[in-house]
Amino acid sequence: MKEIPVEKIIRSRRRTIALEVTPDATLVVRAPLKSSAAYIEEIIRRKSSWIQKKFDEINLRPFFPNHEYTEGELFFFLGRSYPLVIVENGRRAIERSDRLYVSSDVRPDIRNHLKRWYREEAKKEIQARCMWFSMKTGHIPATINITDAKHRWGSCTHRGGVNFSWRLIQAPPEIVDYVVVHELVHIGQPDHSKKFWTKVGKIMPDYQQRRNWLRENGHLLNI
Ligand SMILES: [Zn+2]
């Protein structure tokens, strides 16, 4: 069974455990004050097929591009916007300088070429940032993968590898760094416990602001 990441455990004076899968594909657990972690885990395990089904529903939700890939449309890269410019038979399919130059010969399929380009750029940028924050967190990831995840910016594997969605590279650098730190800290602390957030806070005291930014603006990071 795949590991189910628990985003938050909310304890209150309730009698039963309730599970909620939020629209951004995270699991929130509401539990009585005294229920043990082992008991909560057991409930999650029992409900795992229902949870997985909910996650799948969210991930299969159509993801409408808000672009028509015409000149002047804005595309984001590390938080800066670049107007798209079509060049006749450009040297490369996609090239970024002050603008985002797209060669006319990829025109019927601009979105896919852009996606590929974002993926490559994400790999370079995120790898470099992982290396830098490895020193700060003390965790060197076993692998760094770029995924096509639509609703999860990053994740951490059982084997100490980290994954990031290529979409993240559209966000400002400080937001990318937050997700990198979040996943690297997960290598040593796989849950979202107080201990986890304390570790994140030590490296990045303003992580809450960055996290909020992603919550509020994440849906805009779409090509
Ligand atoms: Zn996490």
Side-chain angles (χ1 to χ4, degrees), residues 7 182-183 186 191-192 196:
E7 172 70 20
H182 183 122
E183 298 311 329
H186 268 327
D191 51 23
H192 289 117
F196 169 82

Side-chain angles (χ1 to χ4, degrees), residues 71-77 80-87 94-102 114 117-118:
E71 284 209 296
E73 279 183 343
L74 297 178
F75 287 84
F76 286 91
F77 185 79
R80 280 192 53 193
S81 64
Y82 295 85
L84 186 133
V85 176
I86 309 265
V87 276
I94 316 277
E95 212 165 353
R96 176 181 65 94
S97 54
D98 54 332
R99 283 143 204 270
L100 194 61
Y101 294 100
V102 175
L114 272 173
W117 177 81
Y118 270 116

Side-chain angles (χ1 to χ4, degrees), residues 31 42 44 49 81 84 91 100 104 108 114 149 171 173 177 193 198 206:
E42 171 59 26
I44 292 174
S49 59
S81 64
L84 186 133
R91 254 186 324 128
L100 194 61
S104 59
L114 272 173
D177 288 345
S193 57
T198 306
D206 63 344

